[in-house]
Amino acid sequence: MRVLEHYHSSPQQCLVFEDSLHGVMAAKAAGMDVVNVYDKYSDKDRESINSLTDYKIDFYCEFIDFLKGMKAYEYKKRDY
């Protein structure tokens, strides 16, 4: 939250990349959108992670390709 204050930003202006359930829960509690970055070590929490995150990717390069316009994003933001 200190970073948000430093940049005069709000949680709604942030996008958090997370691979753990605790990280996802913290970001969502702060009111931020979360991208689930797949990590096999979090498979035990996969169902919970998937239910909380707004977007998901398997690799960071997927997001980079999306930003470069090289790939259409295949996942839809969850509706609450």
Side-chain angles (χ1 to χ4, degrees):
M1 298 307 282
R2 287 184 180 195
V3 173
L4 295 178
E5 292 172 10
H6 176 79
Y7 288 105
H8 307 288
S9 296
S10 69
Q12 295 78 19
Q13 295 172 303
C14 293
L15 185 62
V16 175
F17 290 79
E18 249 315 323
D19 62 355
S20 71
L21 179 58
H22 293 295
V24 169
M25 291 171 62
K28 294 308 292 179
M32 300 175 190
D33 281 356
V34 180
V35 177
N36 169 19
V37 182
Y38 178 77
D39 177 17
K40 69 180 179 179
Y41 297 106
S42 294
D43 279 348
K44 67 181 181 353
D45 299 319
R46 181 69 41 223
E47 190 173 316
S48 296
I49 291 170
N50 287 342
S51 71
L52 294 171
T53 55
D54 301 291
Y55 308 95
K56 61 181 180 176
I57 57 175
D58 292 323
F59 306 99
Y60 282 105
C61 61
E62 286 182 62
F63 188 73
I64 301 294
D65 289 346
F66 167 73
L67 289 177
K68 290 180 178 178
M70 298 168 53
K71 180 179 180 184
Y73 191 71
E74 299 169 2
Y75 304 101
K76 299 284 186 190
K77 185 175 187 296
R78 291 176 359 112
D79 291 327
Y80 291 97

